[in-house]
Amino acid sequence: MAYSTERLLYIFFKTDGNCHICHGVLTFHNYGLPYARGGWEVEHSVPRARGGTDRLNNLLPAHVSCNRRKRDGSTWQARALHGKTRAPYSREKKAQIRGNNTVHGLTAGAVAGGLVAGPAGVLVGAVVGGIFGHSVRVPK
Ligand SMILES: [Zn+2]
């Protein structure tokens, strides 16, 4: 099936440009090139052979090799071979997680700072906690 560039971009960025099976990095312009670095194609999470559709919610980007290895198997099994249990997060989802980490760090820092140094410690603790929370590495 031929996909429009717009559709390919949408599918590619669902996982922030990572293979949904092994989480490796994909290269957008190497779409459909099995031997190119980051070569990828559109993968049907539920295979067409098992009734999967061409709707966007069933389409994810995957290395050509990962897709071929999966064949008509389940996404769950294909990811399990790489120790993965879910698709990589989109950029928006990662930003959301980072924002939550910042808020949690800020809150925890304010409480800890207040306990250690009283009211003056709340602000310092919040700033330190917020910076720490924001810097926590967000997984793919
Ligand atoms: Zn892969």
Side-chain angles (χ1 to χ4, degrees), residues 36-60:
R37 188 182 185 88
W40 65 289
E41 56 193 8
V42 175
E43 207 271 321
H44 288 71
S45 186
V46 177
R48 276 176 291 199
R50 292 193 190 180
T53 70
D54 285 319
R55 292 172 66 114
L56 283 172
N57 64 1
N58 191 42
L59 304 177
L60 287 163

mmCIF file with all atom_site columns, all heavy atoms in Angstrom, residues 36-60:
data_model
loop_
_atom_site.group_PDB
_atom_site.id
_atom_site.type_symbol
_atom_site.label_atom_id
_atom_site.label_alt_id
_atom_site.label_comp_id
_atom_site.label_asym_id
_atom_site.label_entity_id
_atom_site.label_seq_id
_atom_site.pdbx_PDB_ins_code
_atom_site.Cartn_x
_atom_site.Cartn_y
_atom_site.Cartn_z
_atom_site.occupancy
_atom_site.B_iso_or_equiv
_atom_site.pdbx_formal_charge
_atom_site.auth_seq_id
_atom_site.auth_comp_id
_atom_site.auth_asym_id
_atom_site.auth_atom_id
_atom_site.pdbx_PDB_model_num
ATOM 1   N N   . ALA A 1 36 ? 19.109  0.196   4.257  1.00 0.00 ? 36 ALA A N   1
ATOM 2   C CA  . ALA A 1 36 ? 19.602  1.524   4.632  1.00 0.00 ? 36 ALA A CA  1
ATOM 3   C C   . ALA A 1 36 ? 19.556  1.676   6.152  1.00 0.00 ? 36 ALA A C   1
ATOM 4   O O   . ALA A 1 36 ? 18.761  1.023   6.829  1.00 0.00 ? 36 ALA A O   1
ATOM 5   C CB  . ALA A 1 36 ? 18.750  2.597   3.974  1.00 0.00 ? 36 ALA A CB  1
ATOM 6   N N   . ARG A 1 37 ? 20.402  2.544   6.677  1.00 0.00 ? 37 ARG A N   1
ATOM 7   C CA  . ARG A 1 37 ? 20.423  2.810   8.124  1.00 0.00 ? 37 ARG A CA  1
ATOM 8   C C   . ARG A 1 37 ? 19.062  3.366   8.553  1.00 0.00 ? 37 ARG A C   1
ATOM 9   O O   . ARG A 1 37 ? 18.596  4.358   8.008  1.00 0.00 ? 37 ARG A O   1
ATOM 10  C CB  . ARG A 1 37 ? 21.527  3.831   8.392  1.00 0.00 ? 37 ARG A CB  1
ATOM 11  C CG  . ARG A 1 37 ? 21.817  4.079   9.850  1.00 0.00 ? 37 ARG A CG  1
ATOM 12  C CD  . ARG A 1 37 ? 22.900  5.142   9.963  1.00 0.00 ? 37 ARG A CD  1
ATOM 13  N NE  . ARG A 1 37 ? 23.298  5.318   11.340 1.00 0.00 ? 37 ARG A NE  1
ATOM 14  C CZ  . ARG A 1 37 ? 24.255  4.609   11.946 1.00 0.00 ? 37 ARG A CZ  1
ATOM 15  N NH1 . ARG A 1 37 ? 24.925  3.710   11.266 1.00 0.00 ? 37 ARG A NH1 1
ATOM 16  N NH2 . ARG A 1 37 ? 24.551  4.817   13.194 1.00 0.00 ? 37 ARG A NH2 1
ATOM 17  N N   . GLY A 1 38 ? 18.445  2.710   9.523  1.00 0.00 ? 38 GLY A N   1
ATOM 18  C CA  . GLY A 1 38 ? 17.143  3.171   9.997  1.00 0.00 ? 38 GLY A CA  1
ATOM 19  C C   . GLY A 1 38 ? 16.025  2.951   8.986  1.00 0.00 ? 38 GLY A C   1
ATOM 20  O O   . GLY A 1 38 ? 14.962  3.556   9.099  1.00 0.00 ? 38 GLY A O   1
ATOM 21  N N   . GLY A 1 39 ? 16.259  2.083   8.006  1.00 0.00 ? 39 GLY A N   1
ATOM 22  C CA  . GLY A 1 39 ? 15.234  1.796   6.995  1.00 0.00 ? 39 GLY A CA  1
ATOM 23  C C   . GLY A 1 39 ? 13.986  1.225   7.678  1.00 0.00 ? 39 GLY A C   1
ATOM 24  O O   . GLY A 1 39 ? 14.090  0.399   8.563  1.00 0.00 ? 39 GLY A O   1
ATOM 25  N N   . TRP A 1 40 ? 12.841  1.729   7.272  1.00 0.00 ? 40 TRP A N   1
ATOM 26  C CA  . TRP A 1 40 ? 11.616  1.339   7.979  1.00 0.00 ? 40 TRP A CA  1
ATOM 27  C C   . TRP A 1 40 ? 10.453  1.187   7.034  1.00 0.00 ? 40 TRP A C   1
ATOM 28  O O   . TRP A 1 40 ? 10.543  1.543   5.852  1.00 0.00 ? 40 TRP A O   1
ATOM 29  C CB  . TRP A 1 40 ? 11.287  2.381   9.048  1.00 0.00 ? 40 TRP A CB  1
ATOM 30  C CG  . TRP A 1 40 ? 10.929  3.747   8.511  1.00 0.00 ? 40 TRP A CG  1
ATOM 31  C CD1 . TRP A 1 40 ? 11.792  4.637   7.936  1.00 0.00 ? 40 TRP A CD1 1
ATOM 32  C CD2 . TRP A 1 40 ? 9.639   4.359   8.480  1.00 0.00 ? 40 TRP A CD2 1
ATOM 33  N NE1 . TRP A 1 40 ? 11.115  5.767   7.563  1.00 0.00 ? 40 TRP A NE1 1
ATOM 34  C CE2 . TRP A 1 40 ? 9.797   5.630   7.894  1.00 0.00 ? 40 TRP A CE2 1
ATOM 35  C CE3 . TRP A 1 40 ? 8.375   3.948   8.910  1.00 0.00 ? 40 TRP A CE3 1
ATOM 36  C CZ2 . TRP A 1 40 ? 8.723   6.505   7.704  1.00 0.00 ? 40 TRP A CZ2 1
ATOM 37  C CZ3 . TRP A 1 40 ? 7.303   4.819   8.726  1.00 0.00 ? 40 TRP A CZ3 1
ATOM 38  C CH2 . TRP A 1 40 ? 7.482   6.085   8.139  1.00 0.00 ? 40 TRP A CH2 1
ATOM 39  N N   . GLU A 1 41 ? 9.371   0.664   7.561  1.00 0.00 ? 41 GLU A N   1
ATOM 40  C CA  . GLU A 1 41 ? 8.127   0.593   6.804  1.00 0.00 ? 41 GLU A CA  1
ATOM 41  C C   . GLU A 1 41 ? 6.965   0.644   7.775  1.00 0.00 ? 41 GLU A C   1
ATOM 42  O O   . GLU A 1 41 ? 7.152   0.599   8.984  1.00 0.00 ? 41 GLU A O   1
ATOM 43  C CB  . GLU A 1 41 ? 8.093   -0.650  5.906  1.00 0.00 ? 41 GLU A CB  1
ATOM 44  C CG  . GLU A 1 41 ? 8.283   -1.954  6.607  1.00 0.00 ? 41 GLU A CG  1
ATOM 45  C CD  . GLU A 1 41 ? 8.557   -3.100  5.637  1.00 0.00 ? 41 GLU A CD  1
ATOM 46  O OE1 . GLU A 1 41 ? 8.750   -2.854  4.433  1.00 0.00 ? 41 GLU A OE1 1
ATOM 47  O OE2 . GLU A 1 41 ? 8.593   -4.245  6.091  1.00 0.00 ? 41 GLU A OE2 1
ATOM 48  N N   . VAL A 1 42 ? 5.796   0.772   7.211  1.00 0.00 ? 42 VAL A N   1
ATOM 49  C CA  . VAL A 1 42 ? 4.597   0.825   8.043  1.00 0.00 ? 42 VAL A CA  1
ATOM 50  C C   . VAL A 1 42 ? 4.213   -0.596  8.414  1.00 0.00 ? 42 VAL A C   1
ATOM 51  O O   . VAL A 1 42 ? 4.116   -1.469  7.561  1.00 0.00 ? 42 VAL A O   1
ATOM 52  C CB  . VAL A 1 42 ? 3.436   1.532   7.297  1.00 0.00 ? 42 VAL A CB  1
ATOM 53  C CG1 . VAL A 1 42 ? 2.152   1.465   8.118  1.00 0.00 ? 42 VAL A CG1 1
ATOM 54  C CG2 . VAL A 1 42 ? 3.815   2.978   7.000  1.00 0.00 ? 42 VAL A CG2 1
ATOM 55  N N   . GLU A 1 43 ? 4.019   -0.812  9.707  1.00 0.00 ? 43 GLU A N   1
ATOM 56  C CA  . GLU A 1 43 ? 3.713   -2.141  10.215 1.00 0.00 ? 43 GLU A CA  1
ATOM 57  C C   . GLU A 1 43 ? 2.280   -2.159  10.726 1.00 0.00 ? 43 GLU A C   1
ATOM 58  O O   . GLU A 1 43 ? 1.836   -1.203  11.359 1.00 0.00 ? 43 GLU A O   1
ATOM 59  C CB  . GLU A 1 43 ? 4.700   -2.460  11.348 1.00 0.00 ? 43 GLU A CB  1
ATOM 60  C CG  . GLU A 1 43 ? 4.977   -3.920  11.564 1.00 0.00 ? 43 GLU A CG  1
ATOM 61  C CD  . GLU A 1 43 ? 4.005   -4.560  12.534 1.00 0.00 ? 43 GLU A CD  1
ATOM 62  O OE1 . GLU A 1 43 ? 3.635   -3.939  13.533 1.00 0.00 ? 43 GLU A OE1 1
ATOM 63  O OE2 . GLU A 1 43 ? 3.606   -5.694  12.250 1.00 0.00 ? 43 GLU A OE2 1
ATOM 64  N N   . HIS A 1 44 ? 1.585   -3.252  10.434 1.00 0.00 ? 44 HIS A N   1
ATOM 65  C CA  . HIS A 1 44 ? 0.224   -3.411  10.935 1.00 0.00 ? 44 HIS A CA  1
ATOM 66  C C   . HIS A 1 44 ? 0.307   -4.099  12.290 1.00 0.00 ? 44 HIS A C   1
ATOM 67  O O   . HIS A 1 44 ? 0.726   -5.257  12.369 1.00 0.00 ? 44 HIS A O   1
ATOM 68  C CB  . HIS A 1 44 ? -0.626  -4.243  9.976  1.00 0.00 ? 44 HIS A CB  1
ATOM 69  C CG  . HIS A 1 44 ? -0.974  -3.507  8.717  1.00 0.00 ? 44 HIS A CG  1
ATOM 70  N ND1 . HIS A 1 44 ? -0.043  -3.227  7.741  1.00 0.00 ? 44 HIS A ND1 1
ATOM 71  C CD2 . HIS A 1 44 ? -2.146  -2.968  8.297  1.00 0.00 ? 44 HIS A CD2 1
ATOM 72  C CE1 . HIS A 1 44 ? -0.643  -2.548  6.765  1.00 0.00 ? 44 HIS A CE1 1
ATOM 73  N NE2 . HIS A 1 44 ? -1.910  -2.372  7.073  1.00 0.00 ? 44 HIS A NE2 1
ATOM 74  N N   . SER A 1 45 ? -0.064  -3.387  13.347 1.00 0.00 ? 45 SER A N   1
ATOM 75  C CA  . SER A 1 45 ? 0.033   -3.957  14.689 1.00 0.00 ? 45 SER A CA  1
ATOM 76  C C   . SER A 1 45 ? -0.763  -5.265  14.757 1.00 0.00 ? 45 SER A C   1
ATOM 77  O O   . SER A 1 45 ? -0.262  -6.276  15.207 1.00 0.00 ? 45 SER A O   1
ATOM 78  C CB  . SER A 1 45 ? -0.474  -2.945  15.717 1.00 0.00 ? 45 SER A CB  1
ATOM 79  O OG  . SER A 1 45 ? -0.251  -3.425  17.016 1.00 0.00 ? 45 SER A OG  1
ATOM 80  N N   . VAL A 1 46 ? -1.986  -5.209  14.315 1.00 0.00 ? 46 VAL A N   1
ATOM 81  C CA  . VAL A 1 46 ? -2.750  -6.439  14.100 1.00 0.00 ? 46 VAL A CA  1
ATOM 82  C C   . VAL A 1 46 ? -2.600  -6.755  12.614 1.00 0.00 ? 46 VAL A C   1
ATOM 83  O O   . VAL A 1 46 ? -3.028  -5.965  11.773 1.00 0.00 ? 46 VAL A O   1
ATOM 84  C CB  . VAL A 1 46 ? -4.247  -6.264  14.456 1.00 0.00 ? 46 VAL A CB  1
ATOM 85  C CG1 . VAL A 1 46 ? -5.017  -7.542  14.141 1.00 0.00 ? 46 VAL A CG1 1
ATOM 86  C CG2 . VAL A 1 46 ? -4.412  -5.882  15.913 1.00 0.00 ? 46 VAL A CG2 1
ATOM 87  N N   . PRO A 1 47 ? -1.921  -7.859  12.268 1.00 0.00 ? 47 PRO A N   1
ATOM 88  C CA  . PRO A 1 47 ? -1.657  -8.155  10.849 1.00 0.00 ? 47 PRO A CA  1
ATOM 89  C C   . PRO A 1 47 ? -2.943  -8.214  10.020 1.00 0.00 ? 47 PRO A C   1
ATOM 90  O O   . PRO A 1 47 ? -3.990  -8.628  10.517 1.00 0.00 ? 47 PRO A O   1
ATOM 91  C CB  . PRO A 1 47 ? -0.984  -9.534  10.901 1.00 0.00 ? 47 PRO A CB  1
ATOM 92  C CG  . PRO A 1 47 ? -0.500  -9.695  12.300 1.00 0.00 ? 47 PRO A CG  1
ATOM 93  C CD  . PRO A 1 47 ? -1.439  -8.918  13.164 1.00 0.00 ? 47 PRO A CD  1
ATOM 94  N N   . ARG A 1 48 ? -2.796  -7.805  8.759  1.00 0.00 ? 48 ARG A N   1
ATOM 95  C CA  . ARG A 1 48 ? -3.958  -7.863  7.872  1.00 0.00 ? 48 ARG A CA  1
ATOM 96  C C   . ARG A 1 48 ? -4.494  -9.286  7.775  1.00 0.00 ? 48 ARG A C   1
ATOM 97  O O   . ARG A 1 48 ? -5.695  -9.504  7.673  1.00 0.00 ? 48 ARG A O   1
ATOM 98  C CB  . ARG A 1 48 ? -3.596  -7.325  6.484  1.00 0.00 ? 48 ARG A CB  1
ATOM 99  C CG  . ARG A 1 48 ? -3.710  -5.818  6.422  1.00 0.00 ? 48 ARG A CG  1
ATOM 100 C CD  . ARG A 1 48 ? -3.253  -5.291  5.093  1.00 0.00 ? 48 ARG A CD  1
ATOM 101 N NE  . ARG A 1 48 ? -1.799  -5.462  4.962  1.00 0.00 ? 48 ARG A NE  1
ATOM 102 C CZ  . ARG A 1 48 ? -1.061  -4.791  4.099  1.00 0.00 ? 48 ARG A CZ  1
ATOM 103 N NH1 . ARG A 1 48 ? -1.619  -3.935  3.274  1.00 0.00 ? 48 ARG A NH1 1
ATOM 104 N NH2 . ARG A 1 48 ? 0.232   -4.982  4.033  1.00 0.00 ? 48 ARG A NH2 1
ATOM 105 N N   . ALA A 1 49 ? -3.555  -10.263 7.850  1.00 0.00 ? 49 ALA A N   1
ATOM 106 C CA  . ALA A 1 49 ? -3.964  -11.672 7.770  1.00 0.00 ? 49 ALA A CA  1
ATOM 107 C C   . ALA A 1 49 ? -4.868  -12.064 8.935  1.00 0.00 ? 49 ALA A C   1
ATOM 108 O O   . ALA A 1 49 ? -5.602  -13.045 8.868  1.00 0.00 ? 49 ALA A O   1
ATOM 109 C CB  . ALA A 1 49 ? -2.735  -12.572 7.742  1.00 0.00 ? 49 ALA A CB  1
ATOM 110 N N   . ARG A 1 50 ? -4.801  -11.271 10.027 1.00 0.00 ? 50 ARG A N   1
ATOM 111 C CA  . ARG A 1 50 ? -5.660  -11.561 11.190 1.00 0.00 ? 50 ARG A CA  1
ATOM 112 C C   . ARG A 1 50 ? -6.772  -10.529 11.316 1.00 0.00 ? 50 ARG A C   1
ATOM 113 O O   . ARG A 1 50 ? -7.309  -10.304 12.402 1.00 0.00 ? 50 ARG A O   1
ATOM 114 C CB  . ARG A 1 50 ? -4.829  -11.539 12.473 1.00 0.00 ? 50 ARG A CB  1
ATOM 115 C CG  . ARG A 1 50 ? -3.837  -12.676 12.578 1.00 0.00 ? 50 ARG A CG  1
ATOM 116 C CD  . ARG A 1 50 ? -3.320  -12.736 13.985 1.00 0.00 ? 50 ARG A CD  1
ATOM 117 N NE  . ARG A 1 50 ? -2.193  -13.631 14.136 1.00 0.00 ? 50 ARG A NE  1
ATOM 118 C CZ  . ARG A 1 50 ? -1.582  -13.837 15.291 1.00 0.00 ? 50 ARG A CZ  1
ATOM 119 N NH1 . ARG A 1 50 ? -1.975  -13.201 16.371 1.00 0.00 ? 50 ARG A NH1 1
ATOM 120 N NH2 . ARG A 1 50 ? -0.560  -14.658 15.365 1.00 0.00 ? 50 ARG A NH2 1
ATOM 121 N N   . GLY A 1 51 ? -7.062  -9.861  10.236 1.00 0.00 ? 51 GLY A N   1
ATOM 122 C CA  . GLY A 1 51 ? -8.178  -8.926  10.242 1.00 0.00 ? 51 GLY A CA  1
ATOM 123 C C   . GLY A 1 51 ? -7.805  -7.500  10.585 1.00 0.00 ? 51 GLY A C   1
ATOM 124 O O   . GLY A 1 51 ? -8.685  -6.656  10.782 1.00 0.00 ? 51 GLY A O   1
ATOM 125 N N   . GLY A 1 52 ? -6.480  -7.204  10.690 1.00 0.00 ? 52 GLY A N   1
ATOM 126 C CA  . GLY A 1 52 ? -6.046  -5.842  10.984 1.00 0.00 ? 52 GLY A CA  1
ATOM 127 C C   . GLY A 1 52 ? -6.394  -4.899  9.836  1.00 0.00 ? 52 GLY A C   1
ATOM 128 O O   . GLY A 1 52 ? -6.406  -5.307  8.679  1.00 0.00 ? 52 GLY A O   1
ATOM 129 N N   . THR A 1 53 ? -6.675  -3.658  10.167 1.00 0.00 ? 53 THR A N   1
ATOM 130 C CA  . THR A 1 53 ? -7.095  -2.690  9.164  1.00 0.00 ? 53 THR A CA  1
ATOM 131 C C   . THR A 1 53 ? -5.962  -1.735  8.794  1.00 0.00 ? 53 THR A C   1
ATOM 132 O O   . THR A 1 53 ? -4.880  -1.783  9.376  1.00 0.00 ? 53 THR A O   1
ATOM 133 C CB  . THR A 1 53 ? -8.267  -1.836  9.687  1.00 0.00 ? 53 THR A CB  1
ATOM 134 O OG1 . THR A 1 53 ? -7.770  -0.977  10.720 1.00 0.00 ? 53 THR A OG1 1
ATOM 135 C CG2 . THR A 1 53 ? -9.390  -2.709  10.217 1.00 0.00 ? 53 THR A CG2 1
ATOM 136 N N   . ASP A 1 54 ? -6.227  -0.870  7.819  1.00 0.00 ? 54 ASP A N   1
ATOM 137 C CA  . ASP A 1 54 ? -5.296  0.183   7.411  1.00 0.00 ? 54 ASP A CA  1
ATOM 138 C C   . ASP A 1 54 ? -5.596  1.491   8.130  1.00 0.00 ? 54 ASP A C   1
ATOM 139 O O   . ASP A 1 54 ? -5.131  2.542   7.729  1.00 0.00 ? 54 ASP A O   1
ATOM 140 C CB  . ASP A 1 54 ? -5.360  0.399   5.893  1.00 0.00 ? 54 ASP A CB  1
ATOM 141 C CG  . ASP A 1 54 ? -4.663  -0.720  5.140  1.00 0.00 ? 54 ASP A CG  1
ATOM 142 O OD1 . ASP A 1 54 ? -3.578  -1.156  5.597  1.00 0.00 ? 54 ASP A OD1 1
ATOM 143 O OD2 . ASP A 1 54 ? -5.191  -1.172  4.113  1.00 0.00 ? 54 ASP A OD2 1
ATOM 144 N N   . ARG A 1 55 ? -6.374  1.418   9.179  1.00 0.00 ? 55 ARG A N   1
ATOM 145 C CA  . ARG A 1 55 ? -6.663  2.638   9.954  1.00 0.00 ? 55 ARG A CA  1
ATOM 146 C C   . ARG A 1 55 ? -5.414  3.034   10.739 1.00 0.00 ? 55 ARG A C   1
ATOM 147 O O   . ARG A 1 55 ? -4.618  2.185   11.141 1.00 0.00 ? 55 ARG A O   1
ATOM 148 C CB  . ARG A 1 55 ? -7.830  2.391   10.914 1.00 0.00 ? 55 ARG A CB  1
ATOM 149 C CG  . ARG A 1 55 ? -9.154  2.178   10.185 1.00 0.00 ? 55 ARG A CG  1
ATOM 150 C CD  . ARG A 1 55 ? -10.220 1.749   11.171 1.00 0.00 ? 55 ARG A CD  1
ATOM 151 N NE  . ARG A 1 55 ? -10.497 2.829   12.118 1.00 0.00 ? 55 ARG A NE  1
ATOM 152 C CZ  . ARG A 1 55 ? -11.650 3.480   12.196 1.00 0.00 ? 55 ARG A CZ  1
ATOM 153 N NH1 . ARG A 1 55 ? -12.640 3.151   11.392 1.00 0.00 ? 55 ARG A NH1 1
ATOM 154 N NH2 . ARG A 1 55 ? -11.828 4.442   13.064 1.00 0.00 ? 55 ARG A NH2 1
ATOM 155 N N   . LEU A 1 56 ? -5.270  4.335   10.979 1.00 0.00 ? 56 LEU A N   1
ATOM 156 C CA  . LEU A 1 56 ? -4.067  4.847   11.633 1.00 0.00 ? 56 LEU A CA  1
ATOM 157 C C   . LEU A 1 56 ? -3.789  4.213   12.995 1.00 0.00 ? 56 LEU A C   1
ATOM 158 O O   . LEU A 1 56 ? -2.637  4.044   13.376 1.00 0.00 ? 56 LEU A O   1
ATOM 159 C CB  . LEU A 1 56 ? -4.132  6.377   11.771 1.00 0.00 ? 56 LEU A CB  1
ATOM 160 C CG  . LEU A 1 56 ? -3.839  7.154   10.478 1.00 0.00 ? 56 LEU A CG  1
ATOM 161 C CD1 . LEU A 1 56 ? -4.134  8.629   10.684 1.00 0.00 ? 56 LEU A CD1 1
ATOM 162 C CD2 . LEU A 1 56 ? -2.398  6.950   10.030 1.00 0.00 ? 56 LEU A CD2 1
ATOM 163 N N   . ASN A 1 57 ? -4.843  3.861   13.725 1.00 0.00 ? 57 ASN A N   1
ATOM 164 C CA  . ASN A 1 57 ? -4.593  3.282   15.054 1.00 0.00 ? 57 ASN A CA  1
ATOM 165 C C   . ASN A 1 57 ? -3.998  1.879   14.985 1.00 0.00 ? 57 ASN A C   1
ATOM 166 O O   . ASN A 1 57 ? -3.555  1.342   15.990 1.00 0.00 ? 57 ASN A O   1
ATOM 167 C CB  . ASN A 1 57 ? -5.860  3.310   15.922 1.00 0.00 ? 57 ASN A CB  1
ATOM 168 C CG  . ASN A 1 57 ? -6.968  2.457   15.355 1.00 0.00 ? 57 ASN A CG  1
ATOM 169 O OD1 . ASN A 1 57 ? -6.813  1.820   14.324 1.00 0.00 ? 57 ASN A OD1 1
ATOM 170 N ND2 . ASN A 1 57 ? -8.107  2.440   16.039 1.00 0.00 ? 57 ASN A ND2 1
ATOM 171 N N   . ASN A 1 58 ? -3.954  1.276   13.790 1.00 0.00 ? 58 ASN A N   1
ATOM 172 C CA  . ASN A 1 58 ? -3.347  -0.052  13.638 1.00 0.00 ? 58 ASN A CA  1
ATOM 173 C C   . ASN A 1 58 ? -1.966  0.036   12.986 1.00 0.00 ? 58 ASN A C   1
ATOM 174 O O   . ASN A 1 58 ? -1.319  -0.982  12.775 1.00 0.00 ? 58 ASN A O   1
ATOM 175 C CB  . ASN A 1 58 ? -4.265  -0.965  12.816 1.00 0.00 ? 58 ASN A CB  1
ATOM 176 C CG  . ASN A 1 58 ? -3.806  -2.416  12.850 1.00 0.00 ? 58 ASN A CG  1
ATOM 177 O OD1 . ASN A 1 58 ? -3.414  -2.921  13.902 1.00 0.00 ? 58 ASN A OD1 1
ATOM 178 N ND2 . ASN A 1 58 ? -3.820  -3.080  11.707 1.00 0.00 ? 58 ASN A ND2 1
ATOM 179 N N   . LEU A 1 59 ? -1.520  1.233   12.637 1.00 0.00 ? 59 LEU A N   1
ATOM 180 C CA  . LEU A 1 59 ? -0.273  1.393   11.887 1.00 0.00 ? 59 LEU A CA  1
ATOM 181 C C   . LEU A 1 59 ? 0.812   2.013   12.748 1.00 0.00 ? 59 LEU A C   1
ATOM 182 O O   . LEU A 1 59 ? 0.590   3.032   13.409 1.00 0.00 ? 59 LEU A O   1
ATOM 183 C CB  . LEU A 1 59 ? -0.530  2.265   10.649 1.00 0.00 ? 59 LEU A CB  1
ATOM 184 C CG  . LEU A 1 59 ? -1.634  1.763   9.714  1.00 0.00 ? 59 LEU A CG  1
ATOM 185 C CD1 . LEU A 1 59 ? -1.842  2.756   8.573  1.00 0.00 ? 59 LEU A CD1 1
ATOM 186 C CD2 . LEU A 1 59 ? -1.308  0.382   9.166  1.00 0.00 ? 59 LEU A CD2 1
ATOM 187 N N   . LEU A 1 60 ? 1.979   1.388   12.730 1.00 0.00 ? 60 LEU A N   1
ATOM 188 C CA  . LEU A 1 60 ? 3.115   1.872   13.506 1.00 0.00 ? 60 LEU A CA  1
ATOM 189 C C   . LEU A 1 60 ? 4.382   1.726   12.664 1.00 0.00 ? 60 LEU A C   1
ATOM 190 O O   . LEU A 1 60 ? 4.462   0.843   11.813 1.00 0.00 ? 60 LEU A O   1
ATOM 191 C CB  . LEU A 1 60 ? 3.261   1.058   14.803 1.00 0.00 ? 60 LEU A CB  1
ATOM 192 C CG  . LEU A 1 60 ? 2.219   1.315   15.891 1.00 0.00 ? 60 LEU A CG  1
ATOM 193 C CD1 . LEU A 1 60 ? 2.223   0.186   16.902 1.00 0.00 ? 60 LEU A CD1 1
ATOM 194 C CD2 . LEU A 1 60 ? 2.477   2.650   16.568 1.00 0.00 ? 60 LEU A CD2 1
#
